[in-house]
PDB file of all heavy atoms in Angstrom:
ATOM      1  N   CYS A   1       9.855  12.120  -1.697  1.00 97.00           N
ATOM      2  CA  CYS A   1       9.951  11.266  -2.892  1.00 97.00           C
ATOM      3  C   CYS A   1      10.028   9.792  -2.520  1.00 97.00           C
ATOM      4  O   CYS A   1       9.343   8.952  -3.121  1.00 97.00           O
ATOM      5  CB  CYS A   1      11.163  11.658  -3.731  1.00 97.00           C
ATOM      6  SG  CYS A   1      10.977  13.230  -4.578  1.00 97.00           S
ATOM      7  N   ILE A   2      10.835   9.473  -1.529  1.00 98.00           N
ATOM      8  CA  ILE A   2      10.991   8.074  -1.118  1.00 98.00           C
ATOM      9  C   ILE A   2       9.685   7.514  -0.558  1.00 98.00           C
ATOM     10  O   ILE A   2       9.261   6.420  -0.944  1.00 98.00           O
ATOM     11  CB  ILE A   2      12.138   7.934  -0.096  1.00 98.00           C
ATOM     12  CG1 ILE A   2      13.476   8.200  -0.786  1.00 98.00           C
ATOM     13  CG2 ILE A   2      12.137   6.560   0.566  1.00 98.00           C
ATOM     14  CD1 ILE A   2      14.643   8.411   0.160  1.00 98.00           C
ATOM     15  N   ILE A   3       9.037   8.248   0.329  1.00 98.00           N
ATOM     16  CA  ILE A   3       7.788   7.753   0.926  1.00 98.00           C
ATOM     17  C   ILE A   3       6.702   7.650  -0.146  1.00 98.00           C
ATOM     18  O   ILE A   3       5.872   6.744  -0.117  1.00 98.00           O
ATOM     19  CB  ILE A   3       7.330   8.608   2.135  1.00 98.00           C
ATOM     20  CG1 ILE A   3       6.287   7.862   2.970  1.00 98.00           C
ATOM     21  CG2 ILE A   3       6.773   9.940   1.720  1.00 98.00           C
ATOM     22  CD1 ILE A   3       6.799   6.679   3.716  1.00 98.00           C
ATOM     23  N   SER A   4       6.719   8.545  -1.124  1.00 98.00           N
ATOM     24  CA  SER A   4       5.744   8.481  -2.215  1.00 98.00           C
ATOM     25  C   SER A   4       5.958   7.249  -3.081  1.00 98.00           C
ATOM     26  O   SER A   4       4.998   6.564  -3.453  1.00 98.00           O
ATOM     27  CB  SER A   4       5.812   9.754  -3.068  1.00 98.00           C
ATOM     28  OG  SER A   4       5.406  10.869  -2.315  1.00 98.00           O
ATOM     29  N   ILE A   5       7.214   6.940  -3.392  1.00 98.00           N
ATOM     30  CA  ILE A   5       7.522   5.752  -4.202  1.00 98.00           C
ATOM     31  C   ILE A   5       7.107   4.480  -3.461  1.00 98.00           C
ATOM     32  O   ILE A   5       6.483   3.581  -4.046  1.00 98.00           O
ATOM     33  CB  ILE A   5       9.015   5.718  -4.576  1.00 98.00           C
ATOM     34  CG1 ILE A   5       9.320   6.839  -5.574  1.00 98.00           C
ATOM     35  CG2 ILE A   5       9.419   4.364  -5.140  1.00 98.00           C
ATOM     36  CD1 ILE A   5      10.795   7.100  -5.784  1.00 98.00           C
ATOM     37  N   ILE A   6       7.429   4.405  -2.175  1.00 98.00           N
ATOM     38  CA  ILE A   6       7.032   3.238  -1.376  1.00 98.00           C
ATOM     39  C   ILE A   6       5.512   3.103  -1.354  1.00 98.00           C
ATOM     40  O   ILE A   6       4.975   2.002  -1.503  1.00 98.00           O
ATOM     41  CB  ILE A   6       7.597   3.342   0.058  1.00 98.00           C
ATOM     42  CG1 ILE A   6       9.122   3.224   0.032  1.00 98.00           C
ATOM     43  CG2 ILE A   6       6.989   2.275   0.972  1.00 98.00           C
ATOM     44  CD1 ILE A   6       9.788   3.586   1.350  1.00 98.00           C
ATOM     45  N   THR A   7       4.823   4.223  -1.194  1.00 98.00           N
ATOM     46  CA  THR A   7       3.355   4.207  -1.140  1.00 98.00           C
ATOM     47  C   THR A   7       2.766   3.728  -2.462  1.00 98.00           C
ATOM     48  O   THR A   7       1.810   2.944  -2.468  1.00 98.00           O
ATOM     49  CB  THR A   7       2.825   5.606  -0.774  1.00 98.00           C
ATOM     50  OG1 THR A   7       3.404   6.014   0.470  1.00 98.00           O
ATOM     51  CG2 THR A   7       1.322   5.597  -0.638  1.00 98.00           C
ATOM     52  N   VAL A   8       3.315   4.181  -3.573  1.00 98.00           N
ATOM     53  CA  VAL A   8       2.839   3.728  -4.886  1.00 98.00           C
ATOM     54  C   VAL A   8       3.047   2.220  -5.018  1.00 98.00           C
ATOM     55  O   VAL A   8       2.141   1.494  -5.457  1.00 98.00           O
ATOM     56  CB  VAL A   8       3.550   4.495  -6.029  1.00 98.00           C
ATOM     57  CG1 VAL A   8       3.306   3.823  -7.370  1.00 98.00           C
ATOM     58  CG2 VAL A   8       3.101   5.936  -6.063  1.00 98.00           C
ATOM     59  N   ILE A   9       4.201   1.733  -4.611  1.00 98.00           N
ATOM     60  CA  ILE A   9       4.507   0.302  -4.725  1.00 98.00           C
ATOM     61  C   ILE A   9       3.530  -0.529  -3.909  1.00 98.00           C
ATOM     62  O   ILE A   9       2.982  -1.519  -4.415  1.00 98.00           O
ATOM     63  CB  ILE A   9       5.971   0.022  -4.301  1.00 98.00           C
ATOM     64  CG1 ILE A   9       6.931   0.596  -5.341  1.00 98.00           C
ATOM     65  CG2 ILE A   9       6.208  -1.469  -4.105  1.00 98.00           C
ATOM     66  CD1 ILE A   9       8.382   0.626  -4.896  1.00 98.00           C
ATOM     67  N   ILE A  10       3.269  -0.134  -2.664  1.00 98.00           N
ATOM     68  CA  ILE A  10       2.367  -0.957  -1.854  1.00 98.00           C
ATOM     69  C   ILE A  10       0.927  -0.849  -2.329  1.00 98.00           C
ATOM     70  O   ILE A  10       0.162  -1.812  -2.214  1.00 98.00           O
ATOM     71  CB  ILE A  10       2.484  -0.661  -0.335  1.00 98.00           C
ATOM     72  CG1 ILE A  10       2.002   0.733   0.005  1.00 98.00           C
ATOM     73  CG2 ILE A  10       3.878  -0.915   0.165  1.00 98.00           C
ATOM     74  CD1 ILE A  10       1.778   0.960   1.488  1.00 98.00           C
ATOM     75  N   THR A  11       0.548   0.286  -2.895  1.00 97.00           N
ATOM     76  CA  THR A  11      -0.812   0.432  -3.424  1.00 97.00           C
ATOM     77  C   THR A  11      -1.004  -0.460  -4.645  1.00 97.00           C
ATOM     78  O   THR A  11      -2.022  -1.152  -4.759  1.00 97.00           O
ATOM     79  CB  THR A  11      -1.092   1.908  -3.774  1.00 97.00           C
ATOM     80  OG1 THR A  11      -0.894   2.711  -2.606  1.00 97.00           O
ATOM     81  CG2 THR A  11      -2.511   2.094  -4.268  1.00 97.00           C
ATOM     82  N   VAL A  12      -0.036  -0.468  -5.535  1.00 97.00           N
ATOM     83  CA  VAL A  12      -0.108  -1.328  -6.724  1.00 97.00           C
ATOM     84  C   VAL A  12      -0.069  -2.800  -6.311  1.00 97.00           C
ATOM     85  O   VAL A  12      -0.815  -3.628  -6.859  1.00 97.00           O
ATOM     86  CB  VAL A  12       1.024  -0.987  -7.720  1.00 97.00           C
ATOM     87  CG1 VAL A  12       1.107  -2.012  -8.833  1.00 97.00           C
ATOM     88  CG2 VAL A  12       0.828   0.418  -8.276  1.00 97.00           C
ATOM     89  N   LYS A  13       0.762  -3.116  -5.331  1.00 97.00           N
ATOM     90  CA  LYS A  13       0.841  -4.496  -4.833  1.00 97.00           C
ATOM     91  C   LYS A  13      -0.497  -4.935  -4.254  1.00 97.00           C
ATOM     92  O   LYS A  13      -0.945  -6.061  -4.474  1.00 97.00           O
ATOM     93  CB  LYS A  13       1.947  -4.611  -3.785  1.00 97.00           C
ATOM     94  CG  LYS A  13       2.153  -6.008  -3.278  1.00 97.00           C
ATOM     95  CD  LYS A  13       3.304  -6.086  -2.296  1.00 97.00           C
ATOM     96  CE  LYS A  13       3.434  -7.516  -1.790  1.00 97.00           C
ATOM     97  NZ  LYS A  13       4.493  -7.669  -0.815  1.00 97.00           N
ATOM     98  N   ASP A  14      -1.169  -4.045  -3.519  1.00 97.00           N
ATOM     99  CA  ASP A  14      -2.474  -4.384  -2.941  1.00 97.00           C
ATOM    100  C   ASP A  14      -3.515  -4.603  -4.040  1.00 97.00           C
ATOM    101  O   ASP A  14      -4.323  -5.515  -3.954  1.00 97.00           O
ATOM    102  CB  ASP A  14      -2.944  -3.296  -1.972  1.00 97.00           C
ATOM    103  CG  ASP A  14      -4.200  -3.703  -1.233  1.00 97.00           C
ATOM    104  OD1 ASP A  14      -4.194  -4.794  -0.609  1.00 97.00           O
ATOM    105  OD2 ASP A  14      -5.195  -2.958  -1.280  1.00 97.00           O
ATOM    106  N   LYS A  15      -3.473  -3.793  -5.079  1.00 96.00           N
ATOM    107  CA  LYS A  15      -4.394  -3.966  -6.202  1.00 96.00           C
ATOM    108  C   LYS A  15      -4.155  -5.325  -6.869  1.00 96.00           C
ATOM    109  O   LYS A  15      -5.099  -6.060  -7.173  1.00 96.00           O
ATOM    110  CB  LYS A  15      -4.205  -2.834  -7.215  1.00 96.00           C
ATOM    111  CG  LYS A  15      -4.899  -3.026  -8.546  1.00 96.00           C
ATOM    112  CD  LYS A  15      -6.389  -2.849  -8.470  1.00 96.00           C
ATOM    113  CE  LYS A  15      -7.005  -2.932  -9.863  1.00 96.00           C
ATOM    114  NZ  LYS A  15      -8.337  -2.404  -9.927  1.00 96.00           N
ATOM    115  N   SER A  16      -2.900  -5.663  -7.080  1.00 97.00           N
ATOM    116  CA  SER A  16      -2.551  -6.946  -7.689  1.00 97.00           C
ATOM    117  C   SER A  16      -3.025  -8.108  -6.818  1.00 97.00           C
ATOM    118  O   SER A  16      -3.581  -9.095  -7.322  1.00 97.00           O
ATOM    119  CB  SER A  16      -1.041  -7.024  -7.901  1.00 97.00           C
ATOM    120  OG  SER A  16      -0.677  -8.277  -8.394  1.00 97.00           O
ATOM    121  N   ALA A  17      -2.817  -7.993  -5.514  1.00 96.00           N
ATOM    122  CA  ALA A  17      -3.260  -9.037  -4.587  1.00 96.00           C
ATOM    123  C   ALA A  17      -4.780  -9.160  -4.594  1.00 96.00           C
ATOM    124  O   ALA A  17      -5.317 -10.267  -4.526  1.00 96.00           O
ATOM    125  CB  ALA A  17      -2.756  -8.733  -3.180  1.00 96.00           C
ATOM    126  N   ALA A  18      -5.468  -8.052  -4.699  1.00 94.00           N
ATOM    127  CA  ALA A  18      -6.935  -8.071  -4.732  1.00 94.00           C
ATOM    128  C   ALA A  18      -7.440  -8.809  -5.967  1.00 94.00           C
ATOM    129  O   ALA A  18      -8.415  -9.558  -5.902  1.00 94.00           O
ATOM    130  CB  ALA A  18      -7.481  -6.643  -4.712  1.00 94.00           C
ATOM    131  N   GLN A  19      -6.771  -8.610  -7.085  1.00 95.00           N
ATOM    132  CA  GLN A  19      -7.190  -9.253  -8.331  1.00 95.00           C
ATOM    133  C   GLN A  19      -6.903 -10.741  -8.347  1.00 95.00           C
ATOM    134  O   GLN A  19      -7.618 -11.510  -8.973  1.00 95.00           O
ATOM    135  CB  GLN A  19      -6.503  -8.588  -9.524  1.00 95.00           C
ATOM    136  CG  GLN A  19      -6.994  -7.185  -9.781  1.00 95.00           C
ATOM    137  CD  GLN A  19      -6.213  -6.482 -10.871  1.00 95.00           C
ATOM    138  OE1 GLN A  19      -5.007  -6.663 -11.003  1.00 95.00           O
ATOM    139  NE2 GLN A  19      -6.912  -5.661 -11.639  1.00 95.00           N
ATOM    140  N   SER A  20      -5.844 -11.151  -7.636  1.00 96.00           N
ATOM    141  CA  SER A  20      -5.468 -12.560  -7.666  1.00 96.00           C
ATOM    142  C   SER A  20      -5.890 -13.324  -6.411  1.00 96.00           C
ATOM    143  O   SER A  20      -5.571 -14.506  -6.279  1.00 96.00           O
ATOM    144  CB  SER A  20      -3.955 -12.688  -7.877  1.00 96.00           C
ATOM    145  OG  SER A  20      -3.259 -12.060  -6.828  1.00 96.00           O
ATOM    146  N   GLY A  21      -6.588 -12.658  -5.508  1.00 92.00           N
ATOM    147  CA  GLY A  21      -7.089 -13.327  -4.306  1.00 92.00           C
ATOM    148  C   GLY A  21      -6.010 -13.682  -3.299  1.00 92.00           C
ATOM    149  O   GLY A  21      -6.174 -14.591  -2.499  1.00 92.00           O
ATOM    150  N   LYS A  22      -4.909 -12.972  -3.334  1.00 95.00           N
ATOM    151  CA  LYS A  22      -3.804 -13.233  -2.411  1.00 95.00           C
ATOM    152  C   LYS A  22      -3.921 -12.356  -1.176  1.00 95.00           C
ATOM    153  O   LYS A  22      -4.841 -11.551  -1.049  1.00 95.00           O
ATOM    154  CB  LYS A  22      -2.467 -12.988  -3.111  1.00 95.00           C
ATOM    155  CG  LYS A  22      -2.189 -13.960  -4.236  1.00 95.00           C
ATOM    156  CD  LYS A  22      -0.848 -13.702  -4.857  1.00 95.00           C
ATOM    157  CE  LYS A  22      -0.600 -14.711  -5.975  1.00 95.00           C
ATOM    158  NZ  LYS A  22       0.619 -14.439  -6.700  1.00 95.00           N
ATOM    159  N   TRP A  23      -2.923 -12.491  -0.275  1.00 95.00           N
ATOM    160  CA  TRP A  23      -2.877 -11.715   0.954  1.00 95.00           C
ATOM    161  C   TRP A  23      -2.870 -10.231   0.626  1.00 95.00           C
ATOM    162  O   TRP A  23      -2.119  -9.785  -0.232  1.00 95.00           O
ATOM    163  CB  TRP A  23      -1.632 -12.088   1.751  1.00 95.00           C
ATOM    164  CG  TRP A  23      -1.460 -11.291   2.992  1.00 95.00           C
ATOM    165  CD1 TRP A  23      -2.041 -11.533   4.189  1.00 95.00           C
ATOM    166  CD2 TRP A  23      -0.655 -10.121   3.164  1.00 95.00           C
ATOM    167  NE1 TRP A  23      -1.656 -10.590   5.102  1.00 95.00           N
ATOM    168  CE2 TRP A  23      -0.798  -9.704   4.494  1.00 95.00           C
ATOM    169  CE3 TRP A  23       0.161  -9.383   2.334  1.00 95.00           C
ATOM    170  CZ2 TRP A  23      -0.157  -8.589   5.003  1.00 95.00           C
ATOM    171  CZ3 TRP A  23       0.810  -8.272   2.840  1.00 95.00           C
ATOM    172  CH2 TRP A  23       0.638  -7.904   4.160  1.00 95.00           C
ATOM    173  N   ARG A  24      -3.723  -9.464   1.319  1.00 96.00           N
ATOM    174  CA  ARG A  24      -3.871  -8.025   1.067  1.00 96.00           C
ATOM    175  C   ARG A  24      -3.100  -7.202   2.070  1.00 96.00           C
ATOM    176  O   ARG A  24      -2.840  -7.626   3.183  1.00 96.00           O
ATOM    177  CB  ARG A  24      -5.347  -7.632   1.161  1.00 96.00           C
ATOM    178  CG  ARG A  24      -6.285  -8.383   0.243  1.00 96.00           C
ATOM    179  CD  ARG A  24      -6.185  -7.916  -1.184  1.00 96.00           C
ATOM    180  NE  ARG A  24      -6.419  -6.502  -1.326  1.00 96.00           N
ATOM    181  CZ  ARG A  24      -7.626  -5.934  -1.404  1.00 96.00           C
ATOM    182  NH1 ARG A  24      -8.716  -6.666  -1.360  1.00 96.00           N
ATOM    183  NH2 ARG A  24      -7.742  -4.626  -1.537  1.00 96.00           N
ATOM    184  N   ILE A  25      -2.752  -6.024   1.684  1.00 96.00           N
ATOM    185  CA  ILE A  25      -2.113  -5.069   2.588  1.00 96.00           C
ATOM    186  C   ILE A  25      -3.227  -4.426   3.412  1.00 96.00           C
ATOM    187  O   ILE A  25      -4.206  -3.919   2.853  1.00 96.00           O
ATOM    188  CB  ILE A  25      -1.321  -4.011   1.798  1.00 96.00           C
ATOM    189  CG1 ILE A  25      -0.161  -4.699   1.075  1.00 96.00           C
ATOM    190  CG2 ILE A  25      -0.829  -2.896   2.718  1.00 96.00           C
ATOM    191  CD1 ILE A  25       0.570  -3.845   0.093  1.00 96.00           C
ATOM    192  N   PRO A  26      -3.105  -4.452   4.740  1.00 97.00           N
ATOM    193  CA  PRO A  26      -4.165  -3.880   5.580  1.00 97.00           C
ATOM    194  C   PRO A  26      -4.381  -2.390   5.280  1.00 97.00           C
ATOM    195  O   PRO A  26      -3.434  -1.646   5.008  1.00 97.00           O
ATOM    196  CB  PRO A  26      -3.636  -4.071   7.001  1.00 97.00           C
ATOM    197  CG  PRO A  26      -2.612  -5.148   6.899  1.00 97.00           C
ATOM    198  CD  PRO A  26      -2.019  -5.031   5.525  1.00 97.00           C
ATOM    199  N   GLU A  27      -5.651  -1.971   5.355  1.00 96.00           N
ATOM    200  CA  GLU A  27      -5.970  -0.571   5.106  1.00 96.00           C
ATOM    201  C   GLU A  27      -5.240   0.338   6.086  1.00 96.00           C
ATOM    202  O   GLU A  27      -4.827   1.441   5.722  1.00 96.00           O
ATOM    203  CB  GLU A  27      -7.483  -0.344   5.184  1.00 96.00           C
ATOM    204  CG  GLU A  27      -8.217  -0.942   4.013  1.00 96.00           C
ATOM    205  CD  GLU A  27      -9.705  -0.623   4.009  1.00 96.00           C
ATOM    206  OE1 GLU A  27     -10.202   0.013   4.971  1.00 96.00           O
ATOM    207  OE2 GLU A  27     -10.363  -1.005   3.025  1.00 96.00           O
ATOM    208  N   ALA A  28      -5.057  -0.120   7.314  1.00 97.00           N
ATOM    209  CA  ALA A  28      -4.338   0.681   8.306  1.00 97.00           C
ATOM    210  C   ALA A  28      -2.916   0.980   7.838  1.00 97.00           C
ATOM    211  O   ALA A  28      -2.399   2.079   8.053  1.00 97.00           O
ATOM    212  CB  ALA A  28      -4.316  -0.028   9.656  1.00 97.00           C
ATOM    213  N   ARG A  29      -2.277   0.026   7.175  1.00 97.00           N
ATOM    214  CA  ARG A  29      -0.918   0.251   6.669  1.00 97.00           C
ATOM    215  C   ARG A  29      -0.940   1.252   5.525  1.00 97.00           C
ATOM    216  O   ARG A  29      -0.060   2.110   5.428  1.00 97.00           O
ATOM    217  CB  ARG A  29      -0.282  -1.057   6.218  1.00 97.00           C
ATOM    218  CG  ARG A  29       1.167  -0.845   5.786  1.00 97.00           C
ATOM    219  CD  ARG A  29       1.949  -2.113   5.632  1.00 97.00           C
ATOM    220  NE  ARG A  29       1.959  -2.855   6.884  1.00 97.00           N
ATOM    221  CZ  ARG A  29       1.962  -4.177   6.958  1.00 97.00           C
ATOM    222  NH1 ARG A  29       1.968  -4.892   5.859  1.00 97.00           N
ATOM    223  NH2 ARG A  29       1.970  -4.781   8.122  1.00 97.00           N
ATOM    224  N   LEU A  30      -1.942   1.147   4.651  1.00 97.00           N
ATOM    225  CA  LEU A  30      -2.058   2.112   3.557  1.00 97.00           C
ATOM    226  C   LEU A  30      -2.234   3.525   4.118  1.00 97.00           C
ATOM    227  O   LEU A  30      -1.617   4.481   3.627  1.00 97.00           O
ATOM    228  CB  LEU A  30      -3.224   1.747   2.639  1.00 97.00           C
ATOM    229  CG  LEU A  30      -3.075   0.450   1.830  1.00 97.00           C
ATOM    230  CD1 LEU A  30      -4.384   0.102   1.135  1.00 97.00           C
ATOM    231  CD2 LEU A  30      -1.947   0.569   0.822  1.00 97.00           C
ATOM    232  N   PHE A  31      -3.054   3.658   5.148  1.00 98.00           N
ATOM    233  CA  PHE A  31      -3.243   4.976   5.766  1.00 98.00           C
ATOM    234  C   PHE A  31      -1.993   5.436   6.512  1.00 98.00           C
ATOM    235  O   PHE A  31      -1.699   6.628   6.551  1.00 98.00           O
ATOM    236  CB  PHE A  31      -4.455   4.976   6.707  1.00 98.00           C
ATOM    237  CG  PHE A  31      -5.739   5.313   6.016  1.00 98.00           C
ATOM    238  CD1 PHE A  31      -6.729   4.368   5.871  1.00 98.00           C
ATOM    239  CD2 PHE A  31      -5.968   6.578   5.504  1.00 98.00           C
ATOM    240  CE1 PHE A  31      -7.922   4.665   5.229  1.00 98.00           C
ATOM    241  CE2 PHE A  31      -7.146   6.903   4.851  1.00 98.00           C
ATOM    242  CZ  PHE A  31      -8.123   5.940   4.719  1.00 98.00           C
ATOM    243  N   THR A  32      -1.249   4.512   7.080  1.00 98.00           N
ATOM    244  CA  THR A  32      -0.009   4.885   7.770  1.00 98.00           C
ATOM    245  C   THR A  32       0.955   5.538   6.786  1.00 98.00           C
ATOM    246  O   THR A  32       1.527   6.600   7.073  1.00 98.00           O
ATOM    247  CB  THR A  32       0.649   3.652   8.423  1.00 98.00           C
ATOM    248  OG1 THR A  32      -0.239   3.121   9.405  1.00 98.00           O
ATOM    249  CG2 THR A  32       1.979   4.015   9.067  1.00 98.00           C
ATOM    250  N   TYR A  33       1.128   4.928   5.625  1.00 98.00           N
ATOM    251  CA  TYR A  33       2.005   5.515   4.618  1.00 98.00           C
ATOM    252  C   TYR A  33       1.463   6.854   4.119  1.00 98.00           C
ATOM    253  O   TYR A  33       2.231   7.769   3.812  1.00 98.00           O
ATOM    254  CB  TYR A  33       2.247   4.545   3.465  1.00 98.00           C
ATOM    255  CG  TYR A  33       3.274   3.502   3.799  1.00 98.00           C
ATOM    256  CD1 TYR A  33       2.895   2.251   4.263  1.00 98.00           C
ATOM    257  CD2 TYR A  33       4.622   3.783   3.684  1.00 98.00           C
ATOM    258  CE1 TYR A  33       3.843   1.292   4.601  1.00 98.00           C
ATOM    259  CE2 TYR A  33       5.579   2.834   4.016  1.00 98.00           C
ATOM    260  CZ  TYR A  33       5.181   1.593   4.474  1.00 98.00           C
ATOM    261  OH  TYR A  33       6.126   0.659   4.805  1.00 98.00           O
ATOM    262  N   ALA A  34       0.142   6.971   4.045  1.00 98.00           N
ATOM    263  CA  ALA A  34      -0.461   8.252   3.657  1.00 98.00           C
ATOM    264  C   ALA A  34      -0.121   9.327   4.688  1.00 98.00           C
ATOM    265  O   ALA A  34       0.305  10.433   4.337  1.00 98.00           O
ATOM    266  CB  ALA A  34      -1.976   8.098   3.521  1.00 98.00           C
ATOM    267  N   PHE A  35      -0.280   9.008   5.971  1.00 98.00           N
ATOM    268  CA  PHE A  35       0.040   9.963   7.034  1.00 98.00           C
ATOM    269  C   PHE A  35       1.516  10.328   7.045  1.00 98.00           C
ATOM    270  O   PHE A  35       1.886  11.446   7.383  1.00 98.00           O
ATOM    271  CB  PHE A  35      -0.360   9.423   8.406  1.00 98.00           C
ATOM    272  CG  PHE A  35      -1.805   9.637   8.750  1.00 98.00           C
ATOM    273  CD1 PHE A  35      -2.663   8.558   8.870  1.00 98.00           C
ATOM    274  CD2 PHE A  35      -2.310  10.910   8.957  1.00 98.00           C
ATOM    275  CE1 PHE A  35      -3.992   8.739   9.185  1.00 98.00           C
ATOM    276  CE2 PHE A  35      -3.646  11.110   9.256  1.00 98.00           C
ATOM    277  CZ  PHE A  35      -4.491  10.024   9.379  1.00 98.00           C
ATOM    278  N   LEU A  36       2.364   9.376   6.691  1.00 98.00           N
ATOM    279  CA  LEU A  36       3.812   9.621   6.692  1.00 98.00           C
ATOM    280  C   LEU A  36       4.273  10.486   5.518  1.00 98.00           C
ATOM    281  O   LEU A  36       5.449  10.824   5.419  1.00 98.00           O
ATOM    282  CB  LEU A  36       4.574   8.300   6.697  1.00 98.00           C
ATOM    283  CG  LEU A  36       4.450   7.474   7.970  1.00 98.00           C
ATOM    284  CD1 LEU A  36       5.125   6.121   7.807  1.00 98.00           C
ATOM    285  CD2 LEU A  36       5.038   8.226   9.166  1.00 98.00           C
ATOM    286  N   GLY A  37       3.357  10.831   4.622  1.00 97.00           N
ATOM    287  CA  GLY A  37       3.700  11.718   3.514  1.00 97.00           C
ATOM    288  C   GLY A  37       3.312  11.218   2.142  1.00 97.00           C
ATOM    289  O   GLY A  37       3.503  11.918   1.153  1.00 97.00           O
ATOM    290  N   GLY A  38       2.750  10.020   2.052  1.00 98.00           N
ATOM    291  CA  GLY A  38       2.427   9.450   0.753  1.00 98.00           C
ATOM    292  C   GLY A  38       0.980   9.618   0.316  1.00 98.00           C
ATOM    293  O   GLY A  38       0.548   8.976  -0.636  1.00 98.00           O
ATOM    294  N   ALA A  39       0.238  10.500   0.976  1.00 98.00           N
ATOM    295  CA  ALA A  39      -1.190  10.628   0.681  1.00 98.00           C
ATOM    296  C   ALA A  39      -1.464  11.038  -0.761  1.00 98.00           C
ATOM    297  O   ALA A  39      -2.332  10.456  -1.427  1.00 98.00           O
ATOM    298  CB  ALA A  39      -1.851  11.617   1.644  1.00 98.00           C
TER     299      ALA A  39
END
C-alpha cells in the first residue's frame, strides 16, 4: 500500500511537471518504483 501510494504521487507529479514544462521525474525512477511493488 505504501509503495503504491508513493508511486501514484510521483506519477501524478511527473504528469503535472510535463504539462507545465518543469523538471521531470526520470523514467528510471518511475520503473524503480514499479519494480519495488508499485507497477
Side-chain angles (χ1 to χ4, degrees):
C1 289
I2 291 166
I3 196 69
S4 294
I5 291 167
I6 293 169
T7 303
V8 167
I9 290 168
I10 67 166
T11 303
V12 170
K13 183 177 178 182
D14 187 54
K15 169 73 175 197
S16 176
Q19 291 174 324
S20 60
K22 294 182 179 174
W23 177 84
R24 303 284 304 277
I25 295 171
E27 289 185 356
R29 184 167 302 146
L30 293 171
F31 272 112
T32 298
Y33 281 96
F35 277 113
L36 292 174

